[in-house]
Amino acid sequence: MILKERIESVELQIMRYLMNRVNLTEKEKYHYLNLEKGFEGEIKFDQLIENLQEEKYIINDLLLEVNNSFFQIDTIIILQGVIHFFEIKNYEGDYYLDSEKLYSVKTSREYKNPIIQLKRTETLFRQLLQNLNQNFLVEGHVLFINPEFTLYQAPMDQPIILPTQIKRFFQDIKKMPSKLHDGHRKLAQQLISLHQPNYPFTSIPSFNYEQVRKGITCVNCNSFSLLTKGWKCICSECGQEELISKAVIRSVEEFKLLFPTEKITTNAIHKWCKIVQSKQRIGYILGKHFKKVGNHRWSYYE
Ligand SMILES: [Zn+2]
């Protein structure tokens, strides 16, 4: 049973929008692509554990705090006898481990060693469980999901699951019968209630309204080449059609995430969407889909 679904992090969503609307530096683009790749790996992992028949609770994307230290867990699987937690890596290509560090063979680029990250998480997770007076057995794993990943000099005694071992790992889990009781449910609920929704340490580049390109983007190909025709907007790049009202609402959601302190007003969204000529139309769409606060000139939507 999945108790907490996985969705894109706010950081990834914002970076997607910025990728489209701002000139990012190479480093920022690289960071964005890494986020995209990481998320893709996590989705692949979700598909993998979908067919696990055992009684289990699955909790995704938890950000927890213990003694002022934050730690993030990609996935927790609670089984009868053990809590597994996973750090999922979607690295592709040849890598090697050299004294505590992870390198790409091709580019020699150094990566954070996920085992060190995992050990930190494990320590903090155990502390948290202790604080909750829970003494379940905990096992952490770094799982490399990408079949095109090879790790040279991989130590044998480390909590690593390589692509060629994933199938066997889950077969072994299947061999252990699992029956959950109230204690498991209580633990799962406690963990979810402790989730911190706002990750304090993201690497989103700073930007302001003026820098950000305005206009509605194509829902299919992200281009700005949209024309309005009747009730629809049509992309001149890929031919995609979308109802204007839908496209405007989508753009409002983007605006809200990029500028959380700005008010959603007819003027602001008219300027933001750019291609919808009529202000009345924008006002009508906002009025239909959002809650109006205040009256006349100073009204805004939530
Ligand atoms: Zn398009």
Side-chain angles (χ1 to χ4, degrees), residues 50-289:
E50 243 174 31
N51 347 318
L52 264 188
Q53 299 298 324
E54 287 54 44
E55 244 181 55
K56 63 190 179 297
Y57 292 131
I58 298 171
I59 308 172
N60 292 313
D61 287 332
L62 272 189
L63 178 66
L64 299 166
E65 189 197 351
V66 66
N67 311 333
N68 297 318
S69 300
F70 282 91
F71 62 105
Q72 206 204 334
I73 302 183
D74 291 337
T75 299
I76 294 177
I77 302 182
I78 300 178
L79 293 163
Q80 183 182 352
V82 58
I83 303 173
H84 290 287
F85 71 91
F86 299 87
E87 174 68 36
I88 301 154
K89 292 290 172 206
N90 193 15
Y91 298 156
E92 198 175 328
D94 298 336
Y95 288 73
Y96 65 96
L97 270 172
D98 187 20
S99 64
E100 304 292 275
K101 281 177 183 151
L102 181 70
Y103 297 92
S104 154
V105 172
K106 200 168 148 196
T107 64
S108 300
R109 190 190 277 267
E110 184 191 321
Y111 291 79
K112 271 190 207 156
N113 184 343
I115 301 168
I116 294 173
Q117 197 185 340
L118 185 87
K119 286 191 171 148
R120 176 183 176 273
T121 303
E122 190 158 340
T123 307
L124 294 170
F125 192 30
R126 288 221 166 94
Q127 261 175 46
L128 179 82
L129 291 174
Q130 213 167 42
N131 294 353
L132 298 173
N133 284 321
Q134 299 275 16
N135 44 20
F136 285 93
L137 193 66
V138 173
E139 265 182 42
H141 314 273
V142 176
L143 187 144
F144 292 96
I145 189 92
N146 199 312
E148 299 298 321
F149 173 80
T150 300
L151 183 61
Y152 291 104
Q153 287 156 225
M156 277 164 54
D157 57 346
Q158 296 295 322
I160 300 174
I161 304 173
L162 295 169
T164 47
Q165 300 171 319
I166 296 174
K167 206 170 145 194
R168 245 178 305 143
F169 176 81
F170 286 109
Q171 274 166 357
D172 287 346
I173 283 192
K174 278 183 188 166
K175 283 181 197 149
M176 310 274 258
S178 173
K179 270 259 165 267
L180 300 179
H181 54 71
D182 247 16
H184 296 104
R185 168 166 278 275
K186 207 180 137 207
L187 169 70
Q189 281 165 345
Q190 266 180 325
L191 291 175
I192 292 169
S193 73
L194 290 172
H195 172 63
Q196 312 277 324
N198 298 313
Y199 192 60
F201 315 109
T202 56
S203 320
I204 299 169
S206 61
F207 59 92
N208 60 44
Y209 183 81
E210 300 310 319
Q211 283 171 282
V212 175
R213 184 165 175 191
K214 281 92 190 158
I216 298 177
T217 56
C218 170
V219 68
N220 179 49
C221 75
N222 287 336
S223 92
F224 284 87
S225 320
L226 298 187
L227 304 164
T228 57
K229 194 177 170 196
W231 298 102
K232 287 177 182 165
C233 36
I234 299 159
C235 175
S236 50
E237 298 283 334
C238 76
Q240 176 78 34
E241 296 187 357
E242 191 184 19
L243 281 176
I244 289 175
S245 58
K246 253 182 130 176
V248 168
I249 294 160
R250 202 161 47 76
S251 302
V252 172
E253 295 304 334
E254 236 180 280
F255 182 81
K256 268 162 73 173
L257 208 63
L258 290 174
F259 308 104
T261 56
E262 293 292 321
K263 285 206 159 69
I264 313 292
T265 63
T266 303
N267 274 334
I269 298 306
H270 182 252
K271 212 169 131 195
W272 176 246
C273 289
K274 219 168 136 186
I275 58 160
V276 182
Q277 297 299 325
S278 152
K279 250 187 214 180
Q280 277 86 348
R281 192 168 194 176
I282 294 283
Y284 176 78
I285 295 169
L286 290 177
K288 228 180 146 188
H289 294 92

